[in-house]
mmCIF file of all heavy atoms in Angstrom:
data_model
loop_
_atom_site.group_PDB
_atom_site.id
_atom_site.type_symbol
_atom_site.label_atom_id
_atom_site.label_comp_id
_atom_site.label_asym_id
_atom_site.label_seq_id
_atom_site.Cartn_x
_atom_site.Cartn_y
_atom_site.Cartn_z
ATOM 1 N N ILE A 388 -21.546 48.240 10.749
ATOM 2 C CA ILE A 388 -22.706 49.046 10.359
ATOM 3 C C ILE A 388 -22.601 50.469 10.892
ATOM 4 O O ILE A 388 -23.065 51.417 10.263
ATOM 5 C CB ILE A 388 -24.011 48.402 10.879
ATOM 6 C CG1 ILE A 388 -24.158 47.002 10.299
ATOM 7 C CG2 ILE A 388 -25.233 49.235 10.518
ATOM 8 C CD1 ILE A 388 -25.397 46.267 10.749
ATOM 9 N N SER A 389 -21.966 50.625 12.053
ATOM 10 C CA SER A 389 -21.895 51.962 12.663
ATOM 11 C C SER A 389 -21.226 52.952 11.709
ATOM 12 O O SER A 389 -21.571 54.132 11.687
ATOM 13 C CB SER A 389 -21.147 51.912 13.994
ATOM 14 O OG SER A 389 -19.802 51.516 13.781
ATOM 15 N N GLY A 390 -20.295 52.462 10.911
ATOM 16 C CA GLY A 390 -19.601 53.339 9.967
ATOM 17 C C GLY A 390 -20.505 53.840 8.854
ATOM 18 O O GLY A 390 -20.297 54.921 8.309
ATOM 19 N N LEU A 391 -21.522 53.042 8.519
ATOM 20 C CA LEU A 391 -22.456 53.485 7.472
ATOM 21 C C LEU A 391 -23.262 54.678 7.956
ATOM 22 O O LEU A 391 -23.574 55.589 7.192
ATOM 23 C CB LEU A 391 -23.420 52.347 7.109
ATOM 24 C CG LEU A 391 -22.860 51.175 6.325
ATOM 25 C CD1 LEU A 391 -23.932 50.113 6.142
ATOM 26 C CD2 LEU A 391 -22.327 51.629 4.971
ATOM 27 N N SER A 392 -23.607 54.644 9.260
ATOM 28 C CA SER A 392 -24.369 55.756 9.840
ATOM 29 C C SER A 392 -23.484 56.965 10.071
ATOM 30 O O SER A 392 -23.912 58.111 9.905
ATOM 31 C CB SER A 392 -24.973 55.343 11.183
ATOM 32 O OG SER A 392 -26.131 54.609 10.973
ATOM 33 N N TRP A 393 -22.228 56.693 10.482
ATOM 34 C CA TRP A 393 -21.261 57.775 10.698
ATOM 35 C C TRP A 393 -21.040 58.550 9.398
ATOM 36 O O TRP A 393 -20.934 59.770 9.384
ATOM 37 C CB TRP A 393 -19.951 57.157 11.194
ATOM 38 C CG TRP A 393 -18.797 58.106 11.315
ATOM 39 C CD1 TRP A 393 -18.435 58.828 12.409
ATOM 40 C CD2 TRP A 393 -17.845 58.433 10.282
ATOM 41 N NE1 TRP A 393 -17.321 59.582 12.132
ATOM 42 C CE2 TRP A 393 -16.944 59.369 10.833
ATOM 43 C CE3 TRP A 393 -17.673 58.033 8.951
ATOM 44 C CZ2 TRP A 393 -15.875 59.903 10.109
ATOM 45 C CZ3 TRP A 393 -16.621 58.576 8.219
ATOM 46 C CH2 TRP A 393 -15.731 59.494 8.803
ATOM 47 N N ALA A 394 -21.010 57.804 8.292
ATOM 48 C CA ALA A 394 -20.666 58.405 6.998
ATOM 49 C C ALA A 394 -21.816 59.224 6.443
ATOM 50 O O ALA A 394 -22.985 59.022 6.789
ATOM 51 C CB ALA A 394 -20.297 57.308 6.011
ATOM 52 N N GLU A 395 -21.461 60.156 5.552
ATOM 53 C CA GLU A 395 -22.468 60.920 4.805
ATOM 54 C C GLU A 395 -22.297 60.682 3.313
ATOM 55 O O GLU A 395 -22.930 61.336 2.495
ATOM 56 C CB GLU A 395 -22.337 62.411 5.152
ATOM 57 C CG GLU A 395 -22.806 62.687 6.578
ATOM 58 C CD GLU A 395 -22.333 64.005 7.160
ATOM 59 O OE1 GLU A 395 -21.721 64.811 6.431
ATOM 60 O OE2 GLU A 395 -22.564 64.214 8.362
ATOM 61 N N GLY A 396 -21.400 59.758 2.990
ATOM 62 C CA GLY A 396 -21.170 59.449 1.584
ATOM 63 C C GLY A 396 -20.057 58.428 1.461
ATOM 64 O O GLY A 396 -19.657 57.800 2.447
ATOM 65 N N LEU A 397 -19.572 58.250 0.233
ATOM 66 C CA LEU A 397 -18.512 57.274 -0.036
ATOM 67 C C LEU A 397 -17.376 57.938 -0.799
ATOM 68 O O LEU A 397 -17.623 58.749 -1.692
ATOM 69 C CB LEU A 397 -19.045 56.125 -0.895
ATOM 70 C CG LEU A 397 -20.192 55.280 -0.332
ATOM 71 C CD1 LEU A 397 -20.701 54.324 -1.411
ATOM 72 C CD2 LEU A 397 -19.739 54.495 0.896
ATOM 73 N N VAL A 398 -16.143 57.571 -0.437
ATOM 74 C CA VAL A 398 -14.992 57.931 -1.259
ATOM 75 C C VAL A 398 -14.729 56.751 -2.183
ATOM 76 O O VAL A 398 -14.755 55.603 -1.737
ATOM 77 C CB VAL A 398 -13.759 58.220 -0.381
ATOM 78 C CG1 VAL A 398 -12.466 58.027 -1.164
ATOM 79 C CG2 VAL A 398 -13.818 59.644 0.170
ATOM 80 N N ALA A 399 -14.528 57.023 -3.473
ATOM 81 C CA ALA A 399 -14.217 55.954 -4.425
ATOM 82 C C ALA A 399 -12.755 56.088 -4.829
ATOM 83 O O ALA A 399 -12.343 57.144 -5.319
ATOM 84 C CB ALA A 399 -15.113 56.066 -5.650
ATOM 85 N N LEU A 400 -11.996 55.023 -4.602
ATOM 86 C CA LEU A 400 -10.592 55.023 -5.028
ATOM 87 C C LEU A 400 -10.483 54.174 -6.288
ATOM 88 O O LEU A 400 -11.104 53.119 -6.391
ATOM 89 C CB LEU A 400 -9.706 54.469 -3.908
ATOM 90 C CG LEU A 400 -9.787 55.246 -2.586
ATOM 91 C CD1 LEU A 400 -8.895 54.605 -1.532
ATOM 92 C CD2 LEU A 400 -9.390 56.715 -2.774
ATOM 93 N N PRO A 401 -9.699 54.640 -7.282
ATOM 94 C CA PRO A 401 -9.666 53.988 -8.593
ATOM 95 C C PRO A 401 -9.088 52.576 -8.548
ATOM 96 O O PRO A 401 -8.514 52.162 -7.543
ATOM 97 C CB PRO A 401 -8.762 54.915 -9.414
ATOM 98 C CG PRO A 401 -7.942 55.651 -8.416
ATOM 99 C CD PRO A 401 -8.783 55.786 -7.194
ATOM 100 N N ASP A 402 -9.250 51.841 -9.669
ATOM 101 C CA ASP A 402 -8.838 50.432 -9.724
ATOM 102 C C ASP A 402 -7.327 50.259 -9.513
ATOM 103 O O ASP A 402 -6.882 49.241 -9.006
ATOM 104 C CB ASP A 402 -9.224 49.832 -11.087
ATOM 105 C CG ASP A 402 -10.739 49.868 -11.331
ATOM 106 O OD1 ASP A 402 -11.477 50.262 -10.398
ATOM 107 O OD2 ASP A 402 -11.173 49.521 -12.442
ATOM 108 N N GLU A 403 -6.541 51.260 -9.915
ATOM 109 C CA GLU A 403 -5.079 51.139 -9.858
ATOM 110 C C GLU A 403 -4.554 51.274 -8.422
ATOM 111 O O GLU A 403 -5.257 51.766 -7.553
ATOM 112 C CB GLU A 403 -4.403 52.245 -10.679
ATOM 113 C CG GLU A 403 -4.877 52.397 -12.107
ATOM 114 C CD GLU A 403 -6.181 53.152 -12.226
ATOM 115 O OE1 GLU A 403 -6.261 54.277 -11.729
ATOM 116 O OE2 GLU A 403 -7.138 52.593 -12.812
ATOM 117 N N ALA A 404 -3.290 50.895 -8.245
ATOM 118 C CA ALA A 404 -2.614 51.122 -6.957
ATOM 119 C C ALA A 404 -2.411 52.621 -6.791
ATOM 120 O O ALA A 404 -2.253 53.345 -7.772
ATOM 121 C CB ALA A 404 -1.269 50.413 -6.950
ATOM 122 N N LEU A 405 -2.450 53.072 -5.545
ATOM 123 C CA LEU A 405 -2.390 54.513 -5.321
ATOM 124 C C LEU A 405 -1.878 54.801 -3.921
ATOM 125 O O LEU A 405 -2.258 54.120 -2.962
ATOM 126 C CB LEU A 405 -3.818 55.061 -5.461
ATOM 127 C CG LEU A 405 -4.017 56.550 -5.666
ATOM 128 C CD1 LEU A 405 -3.391 57.013 -6.970
ATOM 129 C CD2 LEU A 405 -5.526 56.855 -5.690
ATOM 130 N N GLU A 406 -0.975 55.783 -3.828
ATOM 131 C CA GLU A 406 -0.556 56.280 -2.514
ATOM 132 C C GLU A 406 -1.294 57.584 -2.293
ATOM 133 O O GLU A 406 -1.095 58.542 -3.039
ATOM 134 C CB GLU A 406 0.961 56.540 -2.493
ATOM 135 C CG GLU A 406 1.828 55.292 -2.499
ATOM 136 C CD GLU A 406 1.587 54.380 -1.299
ATOM 137 O OE1 GLU A 406 1.305 54.897 -0.188
ATOM 138 O OE2 GLU A 406 1.651 53.147 -1.483
#
Side-chain angles (χ1 to χ4, degrees):
I388 300 179
S389 63
L391 288 176
S392 279
W393 173 91
E395 289 162 6
L397 299 172
V398 156
L400 301 179
D402 299 355
E403 308 79 55
L405 197 63
E406 288 300 326

